[in-house]
């Protein structure tokens, strides 16, 4: 069997399974938060009166907010240990949760500190706010950082993000770095917990400088090295289905990337006005010597322009990322469930994943089945099964119940399940799979709504 751009891979080999560092990392992060609260406790004697309680609570919220800012940025650094061993979608959820904590702590810090200062001085909150912003050192910059961080939080809310383009959200989100930088100075200048405490001050600098080093290395220097070394360019573009196109990218020494089926890169195409946006697209086939392939559905301005790419267009890539790989496999039997363009990482896994494989592909019509001929060829070569779930003659959508899944895939509870598709689709399938007896640890899902 041959594919669009090379020979099929060798027979799959079961990989050695590695444990996830998610648990130890979460424990470390919460221990850091506890240490921050301990810093306030060690520096605080007694709390007296309303002003003391308000100010003390504001200090705690401020310390935790500063710590949360460092965690927030660290989770944006695209550290391979996190992106590949824990999973980009899980790290993104942690980042989103840290963002919500940060904004809530920021609100609490501002409100409580100003209320405490106002009670202490016997002034109105408005008067105290003007005094703090205009007269206290580093507070003008901190105020600007606060406004930026609020803007990032608002645009990251699900209701707002659904109404804005990925490009707009992406560039607003990058302002988080500016917000943290602007707010850093006032933490040390005005923070009572750091005054006269060189060890605490040094630890705070080490935290922020360490996070800055991660961002500099993994978000700037590593991508620069990758692209200078591998010299990626568009080889060809192929139509796969209505609004769905595959892009074959050529480069040098691509085997050194260590990319695995199921992973993705973040892509910039330096032509057709597409170079300003970095967008995640999965590999839709295993890497070949000198070649990578992605398959893209037109869902926004960037993805719609993919069909217009010309051979020879320079490509800027970052990665590989993601943990939806054979490393997650625990059983000899696997079920791959794809919804729409979620077929892209699963098509690569369908060719390479060891053991007995069944692929369930959900699409609206037969015309929407991207990569269908390749899937059939792989199934014939491997002796695997491909099942299609299409809308009925009058547009009725198939219903995935536990009974339907058990009937379609006998012994489904003993399978590993790899799941990729739109959020609602994935959520419905997850619930049906759990009802069908599939353990949570065997349901492997990665969302690319980043």
């Amino acid at each position: 069997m041959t594919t669009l751009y090379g020979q099929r891979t060798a027979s799959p080999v079961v990989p050695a399974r590695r444990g996830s560092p998610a648990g130890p990392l979460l424990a470390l992060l919460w221990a850091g938060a506890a240490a921050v609260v301990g810093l306030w406790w060690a520096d605080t004697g007694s709390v007296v009166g309303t002003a003391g309680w308000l100010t003390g609570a504001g200090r705690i919220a401020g310390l935790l907010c500063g710590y949360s800012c460092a965690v927030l940025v660290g989770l944006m650094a695209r550290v391979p240990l996190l992106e590949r061993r824990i999973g980009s979608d899980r790290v993104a959820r942690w980042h989103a949760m840290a963002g919500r904590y940060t904004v809530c702590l920021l609100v609490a810090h501002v409100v409580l500190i100003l209320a405490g200062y106002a009670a202490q001085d016997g002034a109105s909150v408005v008067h105290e706010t003007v005094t703090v912003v205009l007269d206290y050192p580093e507070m003008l910059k901190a105020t600007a950082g606060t406004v930026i961080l609020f803007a990032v939080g608002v645009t990251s809310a699900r209701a707002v993000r659904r109404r804005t383009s990925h490009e707009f959200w992406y560039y607003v989100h990058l302002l988080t770095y500016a917000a943290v930088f602007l707010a850093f100075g006032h933490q040390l200048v005005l923070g009572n917990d750091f005054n006269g405490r060189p060890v605490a001050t040094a630890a705070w600098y080490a935290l922020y400088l360490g996070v800055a080093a991660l961002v500099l290395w993994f978000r700037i220097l590593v991508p620069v090295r990758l692209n200078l070394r591998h010299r990626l360019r568009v080889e060809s573009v192929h139509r796969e289905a209505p609004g769905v196109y595959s892009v074959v990218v050529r480069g040098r020494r691509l085997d050194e990337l260590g990319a695995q089926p199921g992973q993705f890169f973040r892509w910039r195409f330096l032509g057709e006005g597409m170079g300003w946006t970095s967008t995640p697209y999965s590999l839709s086939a295993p890497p070949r010597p000198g070649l990578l392939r992605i398959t893209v559905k037109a869902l926004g301005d960037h993805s719609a322009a993919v069909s217009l790419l010309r051979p020879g267009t320079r490509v800027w890539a970052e990665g590989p990322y993601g943990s939806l790989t054979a490393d997650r496999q625990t059983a000899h039997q696997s079920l791959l469930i794809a919804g729409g363009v979620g077929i892209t990482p699963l098509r690569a896994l369908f060719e390479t994943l060891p053991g007995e494989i069944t692929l369930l592909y959900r699409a609206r019509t037969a015309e929407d089945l991207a990569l269908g001929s390749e899937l059939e060829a792989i199934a014939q070569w491997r002796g695997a099964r491909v099942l299609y779930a299409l809308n009925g003659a009058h547009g009725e959508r198939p219903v995935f119940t536990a009974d339907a899944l058990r009937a379609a895939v006998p012994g489904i509870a003993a399978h590993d399940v790899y799941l990729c598709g739109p959020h609602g689709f994935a959520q419905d399938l997850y619930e049906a799979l759990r009802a069908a007896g599939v353990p949570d640890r065997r349901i492997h899902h990665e969302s690319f709504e980043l």
Side-chain angles (χ1 to χ4, degrees):
M1 184 273 293
T2 60
T3 66
L4 178 64
Y5 71 134
Q7 299 298 316
R8 66 173 171 83
T9 59
S11 298
V13 177
V14 178
R17 183 169 175 78
R18 298 176 295 175
S20 170
L25 179 60
L26 282 176
L28 180 62
L29 293 178
W30 283 112
V36 167
V37 176
L39 176 63
W40 171 84
W41 181 270
D43 188 55
T44 303
S46 59
V47 180
V48 180
T50 301
W53 282 103
L54 289 172
T55 304
R59 285 172 56 196
I60 294 174
L63 285 168
L64 288 174
C65 182
Y67 173 73
S68 183
C69 282
V71 172
L72 188 71
V73 174
L75 292 174
M76 294 173 66
R78 298 176 186 167
V79 180
L81 175 67
L82 307 184
E83 298 280 338
R84 302 178 189 179
R85 296 282 302 281
I86 295 176
S88 296
D89 66 324
R90 195 171 184 184
V91 173
R93 289 197 298 272
W94 289 359
H95 173 73
M97 184 179 298
R100 290 190 288 271
Y101 286 157
T102 301
V103 172
C104 290
L105 289 166
L106 181 60
V107 171
H109 172 61
V110 171
V111 171
L112 291 169
I113 282 290
L114 291 176
Y117 285 178
Q120 181 178 303
D121 297 340
S124 69
V125 173
V126 173
H127 177 272
E128 199 66 37
T129 300
V130 173
T131 300
V132 168
V133 171
L134 297 182
D135 296 342
Y136 283 38
E138 295 286 338
M139 276 307 302
L140 280 175
K141 291 196 297 183
T143 302
T146 298
V147 172
I148 293 172
L149 202 56
F150 275 131
V152 173
V154 169
T155 56
S156 297
R158 186 178 294 274
V160 176
R161 189 174 173 187
R162 282 199 298 261
R163 292 170 172 79
T164 57
S165 67
H166 175 81
E167 291 79 7
F168 176 79
W169 170 85
Y170 176 79
Y171 284 110
V172 171
H173 214 62
L174 287 180
L175 292 175
T176 302
Y177 297 122
V180 173
F181 174 77
L182 290 169
F184 178 74
H186 95 287
Q187 298 176 40
L188 296 177
V189 172
L190 300 177
N192 292 334
D193 304 283
F194 298 107
N195 293 333
R197 290 178 172 270
V199 175
T201 301
W204 208 250
Y205 269 113
L207 173 65
Y208 273 80
L209 290 175
V211 168
L214 291 177
V215 173
L216 175 64
W217 182 258
F218 290 112
R219 294 209 63 163
I220 298 176
L221 298 180
V222 168
V224 167
R225 179 182 181 276
L226 182 155
N227 288 279
L228 291 177
R229 184 174 182 81
H230 298 293
R231 306 280 183 173
L232 302 174
R233 291 185 180 272
V234 172
E235 175 78 4
S236 58
V237 180
H238 307 267
R239 182 181 183 275
E240 302 288 0
V244 180
Y245 291 84
S246 285
V247 181
V248 178
V249 175
R250 178 175 293 280
R252 304 184 305 178
R253 300 190 291 268
L254 296 186
D255 57 301
E256 297 175 5
L257 289 172
Q260 300 180 54
Q263 291 188 309
F264 68 95
F265 288 76
R266 297 173 188 270
W267 304 88
R268 295 178 192 268
F269 298 100
L270 307 182
E272 310 297 338
M274 301 172 67
W276 294 102
T277 304
S278 172
T279 306
Y281 298 127
S282 297
L283 298 177
S284 61
R288 311 296 191 211
L291 296 172
L292 301 172
R293 189 184 73 175
I294 60 174
T295 300
V296 179
K297 183 176 179 62
L299 298 173
D301 295 341
H302 189 276
S303 54
V306 164
S307 63
L308 305 177
L309 289 172
R310 299 176 181 177
T313 299
R314 293 186 62 185
V315 180
W316 184 275
E318 301 173 36
Y321 302 124
S323 63
L324 194 70
T325 66
D327 288 343
R328 289 192 178 186
Q329 193 177 37
T330 63
H332 182 68
Q333 297 173 303
S334 297
L335 169 64
L336 314 181
I337 306 179
V341 77
I343 189 61
T344 54
L346 299 191
R347 180 261 177 253
L349 284 171
F350 190 48
E351 181 175 337
T352 59
L353 202 63
E356 298 178 14
I357 308 295
T358 299
L359 172 65
L360 174 58
Y361 189 178
R362 164 76 179 108
R364 286 177 296 180
T365 67
E367 189 180 25
D368 294 317
L369 294 170
L371 308 174
S373 60
E374 293 184 26
L375 297 174
E376 293 291 346
I378 293 170
Q380 183 176 4
W381 159 60
R382 295 200 57 171
R385 291 197 304 156
V386 180
L387 308 176
Y388 300 105
L390 307 176
N391 289 357
H394 302 289
E396 318 88 72
R397 298 168 61 88
V399 179
F400 296 100
T401 64
D403 289 339
L405 290 172
R406 279 192 289 257
V409 186
I412 189 173
H415 285 62
D416 275 302
V417 180
Y418 288 77
L419 176 60
C420 189
H423 178 76
F425 168 84
Q427 184 63 41
D428 291 343
L429 260 297
Y430 175 81
E431 293 173 0
L433 289 165
R434 294 293 287 120
V438 183
D440 180 76
R441 68 181 184 279
R442 287 188 173 174
I443 301 176
H444 315 302
H445 170 245
E446 201 157 63
S447 168
F448 301 102
E449 298 178 354
L450 303 177

